[in-house]
Amino acid sequence: MKKLFIEGWTRKDYPPILVDNQLKILGLLKSLWLGRGVILSMIFFFVVLGVLIALLSPERFQSRVVILPHSESSDRSLGGLGGLANLAGVDLGGMMIGSSSELSPMLYSDVVYSTPFIIQLINSSFFFPEENDTMTYIDWMRNDSVAGIGKTIVKYTVKLPWTVKELISSPVEQVPSSWIQDSTSFILIDEITSQFVDRIKEDVSVVLNEDNGLVSITVNSHDALLSAQLTERVQQMLEDYIVEYKTSQSRLNLEFIEEQYREKRSEFETVRAELFEYRDANRNRVSERDDFRHQLLQDKYSLTQMLNNNLAEQVEQAKISVSRDTPVFSVIEPVKVPIERFSPKRSRIVLTSILLGAIMGVLVLLGFRVGYLVRDRW
């Protein structure tokens, strides 16, 4: 075997491959057979490298949840008026476009991948089984920022061009804090946090099935339980964001009406107390002046009572509007703690290494042949 490897790298008596500018298949096959030592040595090298990567790469687990968002129909928002309009052949749904702030499911991924969303996610607390403790995700990433052996091998082999680019690129200058003290229109994060944000974006996936409207949220993590926790947290945050977006206008309207109701309620109680006190103080007195004063208080009481009752009704209607605008999500496939790892797929890595080794061996062998031909001609 050793002799075979040595002969493959040193022999020069290969049959011609090109004759009169035509490729000779038999010559090519014989050259590959005679140079099989080169090919086998490259396969061996790549297999060893692939086995190291497969064994030393950290395990990853994947959790997934599938939800179905329910959008509000125009008939529901129009109530009985929409049904009567349909019977009359009038489409009021088109007239109501823009009256309800809908967030398209096609934008869910943009929401999840936004920097504020990711920062809120990594600042959430999770239970880490290997630490047997609860901490924020960003604190755990800071403590676990030292790269493992597998990551180092991948960094300086497969990702070598990107590693060199990162080393020669100039660092980004930090913006002085005095420039941003009075600014709230942008987010300023340090380089480490920016790297963590990019990492979590790679681990989170949001996919919309346009055929049936199902939204699939997938999260990868180094721990099975943590991946399930992250998936559930992303789902909750996304649903909260959609609910807040959808009901923001109706909630503002509810808060305004409730404030007006509290003011009118306080005014109504003051007028009522004043009327009852006047009645008690003038129970046995009958005069035209007293009747006029009593009538004024009675009219004021009736007016404030009417306004109070009207606002109370509007408060209830506003609460119904908030409840009606609140979107509903049906969980089709709940979050499960994965049992099997998602990656690394060790058998696939080894098979890919064998294929890459064979291809590289053939290219190296043909490169030697071309080199010998060029040298002989010169």
Side-chain angles (χ1 to χ4, degrees):
M1 184 64 69
K2 181 178 180 181
K3 182 180 179 181
L4 178 64
F5 285 167
I6 296 176
E7 289 182 352
W9 288 96
T10 58
R11 71 185 308 158
K12 302 178 182 178
D13 55 337
Y14 291 100
I17 299 177
L18 292 176
V19 177
D20 298 331
N21 294 329
Q22 292 183 354
L23 178 65
K24 296 298 183 180
I25 302 299
L26 293 178
L28 176 61
L29 295 177
K30 188 175 181 179
S31 297
L32 295 178
W33 174 253
L34 293 176
R36 63 188 182 277
V38 176
I39 300 176
L40 291 176
S41 61
M42 294 301 297
I43 291 177
F44 177 77
F45 171 77
F46 273 86
V47 167
V48 172
L49 182 62
V51 169
L52 289 176
I53 293 176
L55 294 178
L56 298 178
S57 296
E59 293 185 342
R60 305 287 293 177
F61 296 87
Q62 185 180 87
S63 292
R64 178 170 171 263
V65 62
V66 179
I67 61 176
L68 177 63
H70 296 278
S71 61
E72 181 185 2
S73 64
S74 59
D75 283 348
R76 179 184 171 185
S77 61
L78 291 172
L81 181 60
L84 293 175
N86 289 333
L87 292 176
V90 179
D91 183 15
L92 289 183
M95 299 171 60
M96 296 296 293
I97 294 177
S99 61
S100 180
S101 55
E102 292 284 351
L103 182 65
S104 172
M106 298 180 65
L107 300 177
Y108 288 180
S109 58
D110 296 318
V111 173
V112 173
Y113 295 147
S114 64
T115 300
F117 190 96
I118 298 297
I119 290 179
Q120 181 182 354
L121 177 63
I122 63 179
N123 281 279
S124 302
S125 298
F126 303 95
F127 176 76
F128 293 85
E130 71 274 12
E131 303 290 342
N132 195 25
D133 192 13
T134 300
M135 64 181 69
T136 62
Y137 197 80
I138 190 172
D139 289 339
W140 175 83
M141 287 193 293
R142 292 184 187 276
N143 297 333
D144 194 60
S145 59
V146 179
I149 300 178
K151 291 183 179 179
T152 304
I153 294 177
V154 174
K155 180 178 181 181
Y156 290 101
T157 54
V158 180
K159 296 184 177 180
L160 182 59
W162 292 272
T163 303
V164 175
K165 180 181 178 181
E166 181 180 351
L167 292 176
I168 65 177
S169 61
S170 57
V172 180
E173 296 184 358
Q174 294 294 329
V175 180
S177 58
S178 59
W179 293 4
I180 60 172
Q181 290 179 355
D182 299 329
S183 177
T184 58
S185 60
F186 57 85
I187 300 175
L188 182 65
I189 56 178
D190 54 44
E191 184 178 357
I192 301 298
T193 304
S194 178
Q195 295 176 0
F196 293 160
V197 169
D198 293 337
R199 280 175 53 184
I200 200 68
K201 285 183 179 180
E202 295 176 357
D203 294 336
V204 179
S205 173
V206 180
V207 178
L208 169 66
N209 189 328
E210 297 183 2
D211 295 332
N212 51 29
L214 295 177
V215 178
S216 176
I217 302 174
T218 305
V219 178
N220 299 325
S221 181
H222 69 284
D223 181 79
L225 179 60
L226 181 59
S227 67
Q229 295 180 77
L230 284 168
T231 305
E232 185 179 32
R233 180 58 179 161
V234 171
Q235 175 194 354
Q236 293 175 351
M237 289 176 54
L238 178 59
E239 292 180 356
D240 291 344
Y241 180 92
I242 297 171
V243 170
E244 177 64 25
Y245 180 89
K246 183 68 172 63
T247 62
S248 58
Q249 187 62 39
S250 56
R251 288 185 181 276
L252 288 176
N253 183 52
L254 174 61
E255 292 175 0
F256 174 76
I257 296 177
E258 285 181 335
E259 182 180 358
Q260 296 296 315
Y261 173 71
R262 285 192 295 268
E263 294 179 358
K264 293 302 178 182
R265 181 67 182 180
S266 176
E267 181 180 351
F268 167 70
E269 292 176 351
T270 302
V271 172
R272 182 177 58 182
E274 185 178 358
L275 175 62
F276 290 169
E277 289 178 0
Y278 183 83
R279 286 179 177 177
D280 292 339
N282 299 274
R283 184 174 301 273
N284 297 321
R285 297 175 57 184
V286 178
S287 65
E288 184 175 345
R289 180 179 180 182
D290 294 336
D291 289 341
F292 179 73
R293 174 63 177 168
H294 179 269
Q295 187 63 39
L296 288 178
L297 291 175
Q298 183 66 43
D299 294 342
K300 188 176 181 180
Y301 170 79
S302 300
L303 178 60
T304 55
Q305 184 183 35
M306 181 182 63
L307 293 176
N308 180 75
N309 294 338
N310 188 19
L311 287 173
E313 182 179 354
Q314 291 186 33
V315 167
E316 295 302 321
Q317 292 178 355
K319 290 180 179 179
I320 294 175
S321 178
V322 171
S323 178
R324 183 189 62 225
D325 292 342
T326 302
V328 180
F329 300 90
S330 297
V331 179
I332 306 301
E333 181 67 29
V335 180
K336 296 189 297 292
V337 179
I339 301 176
E340 299 180 355
R341 69 173 184 271
F342 174 74
S343 67
K345 301 183 183 301
R346 296 190 171 99
S347 59
R348 182 181 299 178
I349 293 176
V350 174
L351 292 176
T352 303
S353 300
I354 295 175
L355 179 60
L356 290 177
I359 295 174
M360 186 60 65
V362 172
L363 293 177
V364 170
L365 181 61
L366 295 178
F368 283 165
R369 291 297 314 278
V370 173
Y372 289 145
L373 292 176
V374 172
R375 188 185 65 180
D376 293 340
R377 291 183 178 181
W378 286 93

